Amino acid sequence: MAPSFGALRWEVEHGVGTITLDRPDALNSLDATLKRELLAVLREAERDPAVRAVILTGAGRAFCAGQDLKERLGPDAAPLDVEVRERYVPIVLAIRRLSKPVIAAVNGVAAGAGAALAFACDLRIAADGASFVLAFGRIGLAPDSGASWFLPRLVGLAYAAELLYLPDSMPATEALRIGLVSRVVPAAELMPQAQALAGRLAHGAPRAMALTKRALERSLEVGLEEALDHEASLQGIAGRTADHAEGIAAFLEKRPPRFTGE
Ligand code: T3D
């Protein structure tokens, strides 16, 4: 039976798992429950073979406003380094290590660690009214949850520095111009387009998708020769899959492939 959650919604349809952060009155900011459930649902997405691609989005007018600042003032708040290491880092790593592609469908404002969650995803598509605010500096904090790692890789040091040192709100159109998101669509089109994109990913060969994610990940950290060698190893794995044989057969028989993940 599919697990149920209180602070987020989890729906699986046609190979696509959709995570909707669901605390709209608090702009889907991350309280203890949402952080715990987000990690749990990412593990569920990995475990469930019916899920071949994942969408992460938010309910209401925000994607995610980062840490729930009201909870942070509470008596049980952990020191920041502990909170980041124990609650945020596992979520970011779960997204990066998920063997299935994750699309951030950024429906509204993405702030602080909420923006970092979007950066950790494999693809970012934004509604035209969405925005990014690297709000850490506004409240006297340094970046966390991978914001300072992802941003230079996504948009280069110059824009990463602008976003992190001068935490102004960046509208989706500007995010598209600098390459922070790959598509901006009218708000009403966001979920249909994200679902169409995820549907295409879900019809791909699952092992090839996972290997592509690993190749891209490694490419960020190594030189050309090591990347070439790593690609060759991954291709060796892909070449031994039934899906590769199916891909060739489908091509020769002039029909769409039916990938099974074998
Ligand atoms: O534990 C740790 O702290 C470590 C981890 C840190 C990582 C981080 O994420 S640090 C960054 C935390 N996030 C922020 O600093 C963003 C705070 N929010 C904002 O700056 C603004 O709300 C937005 C730019 C996101 C949106 O602005 P706006 O004008 O559209 O909405 P608003 O009026 O400010 O907010 C609407 C409601 O959401 C409001 O509640 P109310 O007054 O109607 O009852 C506001 O308090 C609430 N809200 C917004 N963000 C948060 C929040 N409540 C709790 N935590 C939030 N982060």
Side-chain angles (χ1 to χ4, degrees):
M1 205 176 78
S4 62
F5 301 96
L8 58 80
R9 298 198 303 271
W10 172 236
E11 291 142 312
V12 180
E13 203 175 1
H14 306 308
V16 178
T18 301
I19 303 167
T20 306
L21 307 176
D22 197 14
R23 304 183 68 227
D25 293 345
L27 303 192
N28 303 317
S29 56
L30 297 149
D31 67 354
T33 305
L34 184 51
K35 280 177 266 188
R36 189 177 63 249
E37 292 188 354
L38 186 51
L39 184 59
V41 79
L42 289 163
R43 290 181 173 151
E44 171 65 14
E46 181 65 38
R47 187 203 62 74
D48 186 348
V51 176
R52 290 189 175 193
V54 174
I55 297 173
L56 176 63
T57 192
R61 70 179 179 90
F63 176 74
C64 174
Q67 167 64 33
D68 183 324
L69 296 176
K70 291 170 188 162
E71 186 175 76
R72 171 123 291 285
L73 294 176
D76 300 328
L80 279 173
D81 54 338
V82 173
E83 185 65 21
V84 171
R85 281 205 182 90
E86 293 188 358
R87 309 266 183 279
Y88 284 91
V89 170
I91 294 171
V92 172
L93 290 179
I95 295 173
R96 291 312 317 141
R97 291 178 181 160
L98 196 73
S99 65
K100 306 159 188 189
V102 185
I103 299 170
V106 185
N107 54 301
V109 63
L117 288 183
F119 303 159
C121 293
D122 298 286
L123 295 157
R124 276 158 298 286
I125 171 171
D128 50 7
S131 58
F132 293 88
V133 191
L134 276 298
F136 305 98
R138 287 185 180 183
I139 55 168
L141 290 184
D144 64 33
S145 307
S148 65
W149 193 90
F150 291 115
L151 269 175
R153 287 165 170 80
L154 290 168
V155 298
L157 263 182
Y159 287 119
E162 285 257 347
L163 280 157
L164 289 169
Y165 285 121
L166 307 167
D168 301 328
S169 173
M170 176 174 281
T173 46
E174 179 70 355
L176 178 66
R177 192 183 69 77
I178 68 170
L180 189 53
V181 301
S182 54
R183 301 180 193 197
V184 174
V185 300
E189 282 298 306
L190 180 69
M191 288 317 288
Q193 292 225 20
Q195 278 152 0
L197 195 58
R200 287 186 58 196
L201 298 172
H203 278 93
R207 299 287 301 280
M209 291 286 167
L211 296 171
T212 301
K213 187 161 177 169
R214 277 168 58 184
L216 282 170
E217 193 84 349
R218 181 69 74 87
S219 77
L220 297 170
E221 285 154 21
V222 301
L224 176 61
E225 282 188 32
E226 198 175 331
L228 288 167
D229 189 62
H230 186 237
E231 279 183 344
S233 303
L234 298 179
Q235 203 65 298
I237 299 169
R240 290 190 290 276
T241 62
D243 279 345
H244 172 51
E246 163 63 8
I248 293 180
F251 172 74
L252 295 176
E253 293 162 21
K254 301 188 187 303
R255 61 170 175 81
R258 287 181 297 271
F259 293 125
T260 62
E262 298 301 314

